[in-house]
Amino acid sequence: MLQFTVPGMTCGGCANAVRKALTAVPGITAIQADPPNRRLAVDGDVGADLIIRTLADAGYDASPIA
């Protein structure tokens, strides 16, 4: 599972927008958004770069958590 910090994801509406953007990416099997902590976990056969680009296109910055 890949984990990210998403500073702009501050509410449920933001989490829904993030989920909607990532749902369109082939290979993602699970998305867990945690707006209070501004964290995101994504599972599936997809790379971190694609997730970061997809979120950027949706208006959200994201950084991987090591």
Side-chain angles (χ1 to χ4, degrees), residues 3 10 12 14 23-27 35 37 46 49 52-54 60 65-66:
Q3 297 189 5
T10 59
C14 297
T23 299
V25 177
N37 294 309
V46 62
D49 289 343
I52 290 169
R53 281 195 314 269
T54 300
Y60 294 92
I65 298 172

Side-chain angles (χ1 to χ4, degrees), residues 1-62:
M1 184 165 285
L2 300 172
Q3 297 189 5
F4 302 87
T5 302
V6 185
M9 185 177 65
T10 59
C11 67
C14 297
N16 286 337
V18 164
R19 280 191 211 97
K20 183 177 179 181
L22 292 175
T23 299
V25 177
I28 292 179
T29 57
I31 302 164
Q32 297 173 353
D34 179 8
N37 294 309
R38 295 174 176 89
R39 295 206 172 207
L40 174 70
V42 179
D43 201 11
D45 187 20
V46 62
D49 289 343
L50 178 57
I51 293 169
I52 290 169
R53 281 195 314 269
T54 300
L55 292 176
D57 289 346
Y60 294 92
D61 290 324

